[in-house]
Amino acid sequence: MISTIISSMESGLNLRGIKKIYADFILDISFSIKQGEFVSLVGPSGCGKTTTLSIISGLLDPDEGKMSLNGKDLLFVPIWERNIGFVFQDYALFPNMNIENNIGYGLKVKKVDKSASLARTNTLLDIIGLTGYNKRSTEELSGGEKQRVALARALAPHPELLLLDEPLSALDAQLRKSLRKEIRSIQKDLTVTTIYVTHDQEEALSISDRIIMINNGSIEQIGTPEDIYSFPKTKFSAEFFGRSTMLPVKITNHNSNTCTVSHKNHTYCTNSSVMHYFKRDTPVAETKPETGHLFFRPENAEIFHVNELDIDLDLERAEFSNIFLHTVVIETEYSGNGYFVECNWEGFELILFSKIRLHKGSVISVKVPIVSSLFIPD
Amino acid sequence: MSFDYRKETFRFTSLLAYFGIFLLVPLFILPIFMVLRQAFLTNTNTFSFSVFSTLLKSSYIWRIIGFTTLQALLSTVSAILIGLPGSYLISQFNFKGKFIIRAISAVPFVLPSIIVVLGFVIFYGNNGFLNNFLMKIFNTSEPPLKILYSFKAIIFAHAFYNFPICINLIAGYWEQVSDNSELASYTMGAKRCKTFFSITLPKIYPAILSSAALIFLFCFTSFAIILVLGGGPWFTTIEVEIFRQARVSFDLHTAAGLAIISITISSVILLIYLVFQKKMMRNTAGFKRPIFQHSTLLNPSKITSIIIVLYITAAVLFVTAPIISVIFRSFQTQLSRGSSALLSLKWYKQLFSVNQGTLSLTAAAFKNSLLLAITSAAVAIPAAIGLSYFTISVTPNKSYLPELLFMLPLAVSSVILGLGYYLLSNITGTMSVNRLLIVAAHAIITLPFILRSVMPALRNMRQTYSSAALSLGAKPVRVFFSIELPLLKNAIISGSVFAVAISFGEINATLILADENTITIPILLYRLIGSYNFYAACAVGTLLVAMCIILFSVFEYLREKL
């Protein structure tokens, strides 16, 4: 009874202070994943994503830290007893076995009887849409089919945790999109706790319950895709998920809801929590100036095709916004549903988004709601 | 990055490795130690350089060293001259007959040297097919070609035996380093000749020199070819002299002293080989392209096509004529000396009838050879797999040093190895031990060939296969048997083919080590050739060739079915 309570308390995956130390790289991470959750591990190559997966799977031993899965301590459990499914980037389908034997390998190893194993294999083949592929050789499959079989093979022994290491990176863009949907729906149906490693930010945003952002061996930010995209906590996670404006600023005033920052002689207000309020004449408090960046996403900036913003007319809205006057269009870049616009504002670069094409050299005004303006410390 | 689960895998595969290390390393070191001891210890067990001072004062010994070097040098140059055009054609042009050159150049690799010797006698000999043919054409009674039992014959046989090394090594390298720099040179106005000497040659010389060093090493320590084709004291090399001193004059001190001189010279040559080999690897490291890069291959012009056809024809004739002659001659008989040959199965009937003198030994020889090949392979294959795992877990990065280290046994010729075992058997004495020593010698001699095949395959095997199997719940031992071993299968089989073929043809160590009663096919052939019974030798040779063909078919079948 007590053990069930404990395991229900500690269901899912828990990593506490897991460390792996190399001569030129140190991994140091802690995070928890809930039972049935789909979490993406995101970061540039070499940041420690694959090392993290290797440690969780048991391919690699950590130097320090604690790690448990559904209440059971994972350390000192050899990889073959962890019951963690692993899908590799290169699929790693055994070339010496046909599809059926590949999927059934984990069951055969666990001494599941033949008919049950075959039934499970056929069920999985149905799920991945490759019914009847039992006797085919691995060479006969396309890249996407190989990836599906690799997924089925990992799922066959009912793993408590599924690890996917950049499973789609070898496929073309079109196939990646349809397969990631498929992976997500299979994961939801089977409610298997999943860690998905990718360096593709769009992929991570589109399928994850939560995203864990890793850079240089440590966690930058953990959050829902919406959180991470709109409210990055560090310069790194801000820049990783798409383009944005980063204006160097100093903090001049800071309270629980808002924070006032200054750039040269301009003062701006940023959203430091969910709600915000802005008044132009808020006195600058004598806090120690802290440096950082004023951040906003291009699509949150509103563009006005006039040199001067008619403050009188738009005062109500301007009060809740930061305003950039005399902004000059430098370059536009077409992206399908609109244009990314690189602008020069007093020698600094603003990245905006416009539905219509703007001409080089035209002068515009930009208004960014405070709710979308963030202060990101250095 | 060291994966911890590897410890478990390591624990298992190191069992195989220990088997290899504890069995084979002493079996390699011990005979060398015995040779050293014999060379530096006098009969009263005191250390002395007297053997060497006597040897190095003898003009006879210096002449032997000089001759050994000279014949190796000329053989190397001939082999390169024959092989280089082939390398050029294979690596630079796009044509259909490539596989013929490749197949032909694989034959001498697996052909026992004693068969080559026999084939040369039957084809190029005074009464051989070539001379008979020429005599009929020019209507003379004197054989126009008198190359056998001469310096020329040795060079010729060595060239035959070693030109494929040149083709394989140089063509492989040339293909990899081929790029458009020659074309660039042409566009800048350089002529073909100028381009070859200023661009191509500087690019491929490491391959030429490294294959030259290897060929030189093989010719320097060549034994059977010199023993039979050379004939007489004028054409004696160090290896033949070691054998003569050990088994004819029973002067083991001199034999051991000569062995040390041979090992010293061979080591220097091996070092040269390693230096150029390393240079080659460094040069190809930058070229990460597949070996067959068709974009840089040229389509042959008409003249080149003619040259290609001529080269292929010549190569096919050069390699197959001696073998076909052996097979053909085995079905012939002469009723009396000088009469014309008739077709007959006489020799085969004799081979398979009991109590017919030497020939009744045939069955025993085949049995022994087969047993020897199988037992030595049974020792060498697991040892090679274990050593490969061991080496790769010790040096997980792509260092080529271990692979090169395994070339070191090449510096110790099989004659010297045989001498070491012979010295060892003088201590142990019993016959059954001697037979085990022959197995050990064969295992040691074949091991590098299996390693050369298995090690790169293991190194190139994707780690994720094993990781996937482990994550699915398989223990390391199971992963080894169900995943890794099947994936290494082809490499193991090709390595074993070479190993068994080499064991079948091995005469050097066996000849020096075996007593009168232990007879293998090559020894039987050697005796038959020695007693000028060429027809019977051809019949045995044909059976050996047939056995090799059956063997390759079986291995080919296994490769596909397993």
Side-chain angles (χ1 to χ4, degrees), chain B residues 505-557:
Chain B
E506 213 293 317
I507 184 164
N508 315 1
T510 321
L511 201 57
I512 206 167
L513 191 55
D515 54 61
E516 308 238 309
N517 301 318
T518 313
I519 190 157
T520 62
I521 305 172
I523 290 186
L524 179 64
L525 271 173
Y526 173 68
R527 287 191 192 170
L528 288 170
I529 295 171
S531 57
Y532 298 99
N533 192 348
F534 290 117
Y535 287 103
C538 285
V540 175
T542 305
L543 288 178
L544 180 53
V545 170
M547 213 154 110
C548 286
I549 292 172
I550 292 171
L551 178 86
F552 292 143
S553 317
V554 168
F555 276 116
E556 204 49 48
Y557 177 81

Side-chain angles (χ1 to χ4, degrees), chain A residues 38-222:
Chain A
F38 191 108
V39 171
S40 289
L41 233 51
V42 185
S45 46
C47 72
K49 298 174 303 221
T50 300
T51 309
T52 307
L53 275 205
S54 298
I55 288 174
I56 296 169
S57 70
L59 284 170
L60 199 61
D61 263 3
D63 295 326
E64 274 176 43
K66 284 181 176 172
M67 185 163 64
S68 69
L69 178 61
N70 295 334
K72 288 170 299 185
D73 193 356
L74 274 189
L75 293 180
F76 310 114
V77 176
I79 172 169
W80 54 89
E81 286 170 15
R82 288 194 184 187
N83 200 19
I84 292 175
F86 203 137
V87 176
F88 295 88
Q89 192 173 0
D90 63 356
Y91 324 125
L93 296 183
F94 308 134
N96 54 322
M97 297 176 192
N98 63 22
I99 303 309
E100 183 182 296
N101 292 341
N102 258 289
I103 298 177
Y105 185 82
L107 300 167
K108 195 179 166 191
V109 166
K110 293 198 165 83
K111 298 195 173 67
V112 173
D113 74 63
K114 269 189 184 167
S115 59
S117 160
L118 186 62
R120 173 76 177 153
T121 302
N122 286 333
T123 312
L124 285 163
L125 280 173
D126 292 344
I127 289 175
I128 59 169
L130 296 178
T131 311
Y133 272 50
N134 300 48
K135 302 293 177 200
R136 297 211 189 178
S137 83
T138 56
E139 287 150 33
E140 292 172 63
L141 301 185
S142 68
E145 287 169 338
K146 280 183 187 165
Q147 196 52 72
R148 288 194 184 96
V149 172
L151 180 66
R153 184 179 67 180
L155 290 170
H158 299 281
E160 290 176 56
L161 176 68
L162 180 64
L163 307 176
L164 301 147
D165 187 6
E166 307 215 11
L168 305 179
S169 60
L171 305 172
D172 65 69
Q174 207 61 30
L175 194 56
R176 272 211 302 267
K177 280 189 181 166
S178 67
L179 258 180
R180 76 189 183 203
K181 254 183 168 171
E182 212 172 311
I183 289 176
R184 184 68 223 250
S185 83
I186 291 171
Q187 186 270 340
K188 269 183 183 159
D189 288 347
L190 303 176
T191 62
V192 55
T193 315
T194 301
I195 301 182
Y196 186 97
V197 164
T198 180
H199 64 261
D200 182 336
Q201 37 97 9
E202 192 215 335
E203 207 166 271
L205 291 174
S206 65
I207 57 172
S208 321
D209 289 328
R210 278 192 305 153
I211 291 174
I212 298 175
M213 192 58 237
I214 299 183
N215 181 34
N216 202 16
S218 50
I219 293 176
E220 293 267 332
Q221 192 171 353
I222 302 181

Side-chain angles (χ1 to χ4, degrees), chain B residues 344-524:
Chain B
S344 142
L345 287 174
K346 180 183 162 193
W347 308 105
Y348 290 95
K349 280 178 192 156
Q350 274 194 22
L351 287 186
F352 292 108
S353 66
V354 201
N355 300 329
Q356 284 277 345
T358 328
L359 293 179
S360 67
L361 292 168
T362 312
F366 271 85
K367 199 191 86 191
N368 282 342
S369 276
L370 205 59
L371 208 64
L372 201 52
I374 291 170
T375 45
S376 62
V379 173
I381 292 170
I385 296 171
L387 284 175
S388 303
Y389 268 92
F390 180 78
T391 320
I392 284 166
S393 52
V394 170
T395 55
N397 52 353
K398 296 227 169 204
S399 143
Y400 287 92
L401 195 71
E403 273 96 333
L404 294 178
L405 273 180
F406 288 112
M407 296 292 284
L408 279 178
L410 285 180
V412 179
S413 75
S414 48
V415 172
I416 295 168
L417 205 62
L419 174 67
Y421 282 124
Y422 178 67
L423 294 169
L424 210 59
S425 72
N426 283 351
I427 301 172
T428 54
T430 63
M431 209 148 78
S432 53
V433 173
N434 282 3
R435 295 212 167 151
L436 282 181
L437 288 178
I438 298 179
V439 174
H442 279 223
I444 291 281
I445 291 164
T446 55
L447 185 71
F449 291 88
I450 310 176
L451 274 176
R452 211 179 58 176
S453 175
V454 175
M455 190 116 69
L458 183 62
R459 208 179 268 291
N460 292 333
M461 190 164 70
R462 278 191 260 159
Q463 190 59 53
T464 46
Y465 289 136
S466 315
S467 305
L470 287 164
S471 76
L472 288 167
K475 290 183 183 171
V477 176
R478 177 141 194 176
V479 176
F480 175 77
F481 282 107
S482 67
I483 309 292
E484 294 171 350
L485 202 57
L487 292 178
L488 292 175
K489 182 195 71 189
N490 283 351
I492 294 171
I493 288 176
S494 354
S496 309
V497 167
F498 277 107
V500 173
I502 285 159
S503 169
F504 267 170
E506 213 293 317
I507 184 164
N508 315 1
T510 321
L511 201 57
I512 206 167
L513 191 55
D515 54 61
E516 308 238 309
N517 301 318
T518 313
I519 190 157
T520 62
I521 305 172
I523 290 186
L524 179 64

Side-chain angles (χ1 to χ4, degrees), chain B residues 98-231:
Chain B
K98 254 184 207 186
F99 76 96
I100 302 178
I101 298 185
R102 291 196 185 273
I104 280 296
S105 63
V107 173
F109 262 121
V110 292
L111 210 60
S113 56
I114 195 77
I115 293 275
V116 176
V117 170
L118 183 63
F120 266 61
V121 172
I122 304 299
F123 188 70
Y124 297 110
N126 287 354
N127 199 22
F129 284 103
L130 189 59
N131 271 323
N132 282 343
F133 177 73
L134 292 174
M135 268 149 53
K136 263 183 201 150
I137 286 185
F138 298 111
N139 208 9
T140 57
S141 55
E142 268 295 295
L145 287 173
K146 286 183 180 168
I147 57 165
L148 226 52
Y149 307 115
S150 70
F151 193 53
K152 277 176 272 178
I154 295 173
I155 306 298
F156 206 34
H158 279 167
F160 169 90
Y161 223 78
N162 291 307
F163 89 95
I165 296 178
C166 167
I167 288 194
N168 284 324
L169 250 159
I170 300 179
Y173 180 75
W174 205 337
E175 265 168 354
Q176 283 189 55
V177 298
S178 283
D179 51 22
N180 292 325
S181 51
E182 275 86 359
L183 289 178
S185 166
Y186 297 145
T187 61
M188 287 181 242
K191 297 252 163 56
R192 263 174 191 278
C193 192
K194 168 91 180 151
T195 302
F196 180 81
F197 284 103
S198 61
I199 307 288
T200 312
L201 204 58
K203 207 160 59 177
I204 62 164
Y205 87 93
I208 296 179
L209 290 183
S210 114
S211 62
L214 198 61
I215 294 170
F216 188 91
L217 188 66
F218 286 147
C219 295
F220 191 82
T221 56
S222 158
F223 177 69
I225 286 172
I226 309 231
L227 189 66
V228 185
L229 282 185

